Amino acid sequence: MEFSMVNLLSLLLLPVFGALVLAFVKQATAAKRLALSVSLLTVLLTIPLLLNFVPDASMQFEQRFAWIPSLGIHFHIGIDGISLPLVLLTNGLVPLIILAAFGHNHSGGFYALVLFMQAGLLLVFTALDAFAFYVGWEVALIPIYFICALWGGENRIRVNLKFFIYTFLGSLFMLAAIIYLHLQVPTGDYELTSFYNLALDSATQRWIFWAFFLAFAIKMPIFPFHTWQPDTYTEAPTAGTMLLAGIMLKMGIYGVIRWLIPVSPLGFAAYGQLALVLCLIGVVYASIIAFKQRDAKRLIAYSSIAHVGLIGAGIFAWNVQGLQGAIIQMVNHGISVVGLFFVLDIIERRLGTRELADMGGIAKPAPALATLFLVIVMGAVGLPLTNGFVGEFLLLMGVYQYGVWYAVFGGLTLILGAVYMLRLYQRTMLGQVTDRTANFSAINRTEWLVLVIVAVLVVGIGVYPKPLLQLSEAAVVDLIEQVGPIVKH
Amino acid sequence: MIDLVWLIPLLPLVGFLINGLGRNILSKSLSGIIGSGVVLVAFLLSGGLFAEVYHARQAGEAAAFTQSLFEWIGAGNLTIALSFLVDPLSAIMLLIVTGIGFLIHVYSIGYMKHDEGFAKFFAFLNLFIFFMLLLVLGSNYIVMFIGWEGVGLCSYLLIGFWFKNSAYAAAAKKAFVMNRIGDLGFLIAVFLIFTTFGTLEFAGIFPQAAGMAMGDTTLLLITLLLFVAATGKSAQIPLFTWLPDAMAGPTPVSALIHAATMVTAGIYMIARSNILFTLSPITLQVIAAIGICTALLAAAIAITQNDIKKVLAYSTVSQLGYMFLGLGVGAFTGAFFHVITHAFFKALLFLGAGSVIHAMSDEQDMRSMGGLKKHLPVTYLTMLIGTIAIAGIPPLSGFFSKDEILAHAFAENRLLWVLGFIGTLFTAFYMFRMLFLTFFGRFRGTAHQQGHLHESPATMTIPLVILAVLAAIGGALNIPSALGGSHALADFLAPVFADSVAKSGAFHLDHSTEYILMGVSALAAVVMAFVAYRRYVTKASIPVADDAPRGLLARLSYRKFYVDELYDALVVRPLNALSVFCYRFIDRRGIDGVVNGFGKAVGESGKGIRLLQSGNVGFYIFMMVIAVAALLAYGIFNG
Amino acid sequence: MSAIITLSLLAILVLYLGLFKARNMLLPVSLAGLAATLVLYALQWGSTAEPLYSGMVLFDGYAIAFSVLCVTVTALVLLLSKDYFDSRSTHVAEYYALILFSLTGALLVVSFHNLAMLFIGIEIMSVALYILAGIRKKDFASNEAALKYFLMGAFSTGFLLFGIALLYGASGSFDLAVIKAHVVDNPQAVSPLFHAGVILLIVGLAFKVGAAPFHFWTPDVYDGAPILITTYMSTVVKTAAFAGFLRLFLFCFVPLQDFWMPVLLVMTVITLFVGNITAIVQQSFKRMLAYSSISHAGYMLFAIVAIGSTSAASVLTYAGAYSLASVVAFAALILVKRATGSDHFEAFNGLAKKNPYLAIALTVSMLSLAGIPLTAGFVGKFMMFSNVLADYQVVLVVLAIINAAMAIFYYFRVIVAMYFKPLDRDQVVVSGQYRTVLLLAVVITLVLGVYPAWLTGLI
Amino acid sequence: MSVFYFVAFLSIFFALMTIFTKNPVHSVLYLVITFFTFTVHYILLNAQFLAVVNFIVYMGAIMVLFLFVLMLLNLNKDTEPLKSNLVKVMGVIAGLCLLLTLAGSLRVLEVSDPVTLKNPDIGLVGNLGKVLFSEFLLPFEISSILLLTAMVGAVLLAKNDPKKA
Amino acid sequence: METVVQHIQGVPLNHYILFCSLIFAIGVIGVLIRRNVIIIMMSVELMLNSVNLLLTAFSAYSGDPAGQVFVFFIMALAAAEVAVGLAIIVMVYRNTRSVDINALNRLRG
């Protein structure tokens, strides 16, 4: 491990320490400040990462320590072009999420959980050792469970328990697969690379594929493993929803790119098409369901299923455009979904309802909100010069190269997305001012700040996505070559 | 000069940002000046650009200049640059967009004076100009697509400008979604183009395409998909219903976006990729068919509408139909020519209508107008010119452009000409009907409106006058050789359509036939104008109230042939029903039911198993003994 | 060996202390004695182990590791018992003595090298427990638990003995070495007596570890016995029994794996499902823990099903993790029950508000039992799964996974109660010993979870 | 050798009587007889010492203990509410299943070479003593703990606390 | 003494095993069909004794005293168990006035 002036481990540990300290902070404002400063510190630590990163296929800033030597387990982390965007996303969004939660006056415990989860997520995105990956995977789950179940809606308990058990079940299958693979590794370790180098027979790879796929499909979620998601998103507090939709679901997608496909290429060859079809079904199915949702949050939840479906399709199409699109769209989706949920949170806190029926005409009392919301919505709709377009364009292009009709089918998201997103915008912002929305107070500084940052990112990435794309280009090309071109069945 | 191309779209963008961000600071007049100022500068630049292109053409060059700003998206073999292409086609389009755009900005200063969203309005207009310029200048399909969707956004924003009225908001949404349907076609076409030609740059595609065989299936697919996109943007069957609703927006918007510029984007795009279309005759036939049908349908509807803007809207749809007819019969120049003239007179008519509505204090129903010509002389005169122009009565612009299209149609297929001819009859009738109902007879409005009647301020009338002039003399751009003209426009555009002409062979029709055709259509127009006069001025008959009984045809026409109702029944309702069904039954009960079912099953079995734990030692021991016996039995056979 | 002697002397000493009414001396003395035992074991560590006393016992690393675990956990239990029994019973001294006797038995079980020692060890352990279970003489539940445990225990002893007899008949000796030699010499041609003997041994031992279908005593006895005794039973005794179980099979019966493995496989699966599914429907936290202990027995059986070089380490880790977590859980239960008088889940409602640290401790232990990463429980499960997968028992793993997911449901019920079911209750008083125990157990659990190397490296 | 079968028959018979008699006292007595037959078996196997111990410990101590408790709790008359016949039948069937499988897995029906006393006097006190105090010294010592435990426990449980704790 | 030894000469080992299994089974049946705890304990004793005899038979058969030594331990255990068991019974009886195992069903489910 050559010396690098960026210490990745410190990046992972900082949130943990922050969390440990915060756990004992009772006073709300102090907790806020501390949490925000810690998360901003992580951002600072990320900057040198970005500066010293060489956009090639190599693994960088690697660190490797023996963890459980007797079992061949190492704590091995590193970053390449595929994981860097997600690390950026995580460290970028967490401050936003913390900032967005300022309206709620949570105690230190809340922020502690958020930061703890951040650590878990970062571990997932940087782990190069399957065991470490799994640990991060689960560690990220506990805090979010508590966040959602402690500060959630009325039937939060049932919903979150279901969510937890469902995802836990999936990940256990992954664990089994990981152990199995480890047992096949001649060097007896859990290294990502040694997993890549295994050339198992097709039959084995097939069930390995399913074991991993189940874990990731539930997390993302892919149709038909998605039913936990709308409930959880709806019941969760906004910060929880942001973490879930903004970052956590990327764990699944990242897993597909980093583990599922390269580790079981034959399984992928056998079932990739099925998976892709499932993703596309999810796109249309979720969009259609989103049409008539009365609950704004639930609407976004389903829209998120649709977006993720498209991302998944892009990945399973397994070509440069698709993967690049997937990676950039992960970032985009994270950004816009955080924005969307935050707007809904602002509305809900003022109106005390999420029912679209009770809203309308908010643009009148809160024009700034309306404008920023519009930008975010357009980003979600995938309008050119917003980030959404770049992602959707590349994704659809990738899917197109896999099969024309898949692309046409998936492309329906352009239309359907417009339908439900505009409906959302219209029902909330436009139309007559109702007695409820009449005295809707304009957004305060913090809210404005968060939304502006989101909007700027939405447009910024949309106008000049190249730098972001360049980060992952080399790595993606390399990965695709390594797995080899897709074999259609 | 060419190096400054990037300024042209940039200026409106700057205007948008200034007006958008400073909308609470800037005074109305200031934002008005900024808003129109940037467009004016852009117009001047375009003028300079055009001059350059023109000289180049005189020098006999192809005069196509590209300017690449930066690489926008790059993934694998796909690289998309944000780059501009200036050639005769885009040069003219630039002039139209910026020119008419400027006029309408000026007009809006007066029209929107009393609206609190004044600055916002100008910001949106600027944004629209920006996107429209991108669309026009784009040197590849993606940049064009950016503009393509961008203008869609702006039309959404501007239609829903008065968002407090949820009907308007709905109209805006409808427009956006219908455009989106087309856009999907565009996107798929782009993918297909990329996979076929390996690039998205016009400069890269068209030469390759020129080398391809006539009637190539790939090209057929591409062109059909592109045409789908065009039907969305340019309001053709089946996606035309959004345009009439789009009249919800302020009138200047209708004039700029839904008459002069955006809706012609489809024609521009097809003209741009003319070679692809020339090589797929089937598509051309489809286009021609759709075009003429739209023209007739819209015209038929326009005849009975009473909302002055609705009439104009349907006439726009119908005129667009003509343009597509032109494209369909290979009269690319003609179609584009009609784009230009139509931009002039339809903008004029809309602005005129705007001024009328302004004077009538926002009354749009012609049944309560009448006799306005003495109150609004300027408006009346200008609109008269516009009407004559659109009706196709020589020597005003509309006559020449429409005639060229019809001539080509005649050469292509007699039937098309006949239908087109019928269309011109309709056109003349409903336009004069509108004119007469509005300006002739006695005033039918309320006393309050009467007291309020006035001619519009200079900011509004001056653009009217300018446009009237253009509408009058616009025809001079491309006077056919039959009338001793020199086809100036055609020559200017020659390099753009060169390949197509080479493939399809030059259009020829001997002058005698041409004279006859012109005469017939001109005469017919005059006759229809007279008929309208008899009916609405001499007889002074007023259209009946909405719910009054009508004849079948009249009702069909008045109810817009129930197209909206049809779509509602065929698409909207089923989709909503499907949505509810998927959510309630498939998602909640079905999939989630299964998931929860597992939980329930475990719980139930738990209740069952715990019964074994009866608390009775005897039973426990009994079970143990059975178990031991079982194990030993296993031992017997495997021991 | 000296350790065991110390221990038995210690027990007698404690009895005398009781005689002289030196109550307050009991705990310190016992702890000191246990500490001494630990030291003695520690001294033995690493020295090459030879069978002692003509092959009766063998203090190899395996024995020592498990002994240390048992002694440590017992120490924790004794710490808890300070103000648990003083208030309730007059027979504190006997209580301590019996625990220590039982511990002695446990230590013999983990270090036996001769079936006689196994037998006697198990019996010392159990007989003491029969009594302890009933030590609340006026309490019906306690009585019933004692009698049930005794009857079924005695009954199962019969099978154990019959098995031993058959083994003796087949191999002609009680010495593990000899038996092993017998098996190794003719793995194919071992007499039917031997097979039947193995089966009966499985029955007897399965009963002791509470594996289905010989688990029926577990819930009732765990439920009826005083909480601390339950703690002791479910931790030390279970650990010791498993250690003995594994030791016997690891020593002697590996060559016969094809014969007995299917039996254990089936039993494992049944155990898992019975334990988990029944635990889900429980209303009492205590009884839930009883059933969960059954399911954990199932997981520990993995190590024997997939018997091999790593089995010992896995069982040790798993048993350790499980014991620590259980100690915490039961300690919390004791405190809550003392405050509310109920051991149902509702009794925990709103605990997190008043006793945040107690709640956190209990949460950690529950996560550990559920096998969530960064807790010792996960490492244990992880090693178990590794064993079984190394043996290509994919089906078993899948079933285990389903069970692990089910387990979340009931482990999280108490978390849900503590954190998400608000209820204004008065704070639960946590005495010094309890603080120490909880802190110790939680810290070890976490440390094991984060950096298990130092334990897994032992064996 | 017929002696063996005769005695075996007796012990089986009395064992059955033990478990099927209603009156507890009677079944104790039957059990005593059964144990006596066992003593005979030990003698036949030339394990005199065991025979003696069995005679004393079981028939003496243990049985007396049983009787004592029975009398103490005065259960001497057949107060025991019998289990329903179904349960009985099931019990018997289960037991027989056990017997069958046991016998089956032990292959008892195959011919095996007869029991011949290789050295007739292993059962003698001397020999047993040698083994017990050399080889089995540790278990012998340890079993003292067992007995001590039992003693403590018995006292602890059976003693009737004066003060109601 | 010789005469005694004559008597068992020739009894096949299997018959001993069968006999012990029989007694064992009878003991089990006793445990199964009786409700009186004391009788159940007696049945258990029966089981233990069958084991004793089995061990003795084996030891005699193989001429190895260990088996007979082991019997001592079993007897010790038997004694211990009986002591503890009866103590428990007495305790229970004191509380419930019954030695019927079916009375023990408070703990269940």
Side-chain angles (χ1 to χ4, degrees), chain B residues 508-546:
Chain B
H508 177 66
L509 201 63
D510 52 9
H511 290 176
S512 53
T513 10
E514 244 184 282
Y515 290 132
I516 299 171
L517 296 179
M518 292 177 183
V520 173
S521 54
L523 186 66
V526 177
V527 172
M528 291 317 291
F530 180 68
V531 173
Y533 185 83
R534 282 296 307 282
R535 178 140 188 218
Y536 294 103
V537 181
T538 331
K539 294 222 192 77
S541 68
I542 311 304
V544 290
D546 300 356

Side-chain angles (χ1 to χ4, degrees), chain B residues 609 613, chain C residues 202 205-219 238 242 245 262-280 290-302 305 318 396 399-400 403-404 406-407 410:
Chain B
I609 293 180
Q613 200 70 31
Chain C
I202 290 179
L205 292 168
F207 175 88
K208 292 295 172 199
V209 302
F214 308 103
H215 67 284
F216 287 100
W217 62 277
T218 326
K238 203 181 263 290
F242 252 108
F245 200 160
V263 177
L264 281 180
L265 189 61
V266 175
M267 285 172 61
T268 311
V269 174
I270 302 175
T271 312
L272 282 175
F273 275 99
V274 168
N276 284 305
I277 294 181
T278 326
I280 285 179
Y291 279 105
S292 93
S293 85
I294 295 178
S295 71
H296 284 290
Y299 287 116
M300 290 201 245
L301 278 175
F302 281 20
V305 169
Y318 199 102
L396 180 55
L399 294 175
N403 278 282
M406 282 196 270
Y410 54 83

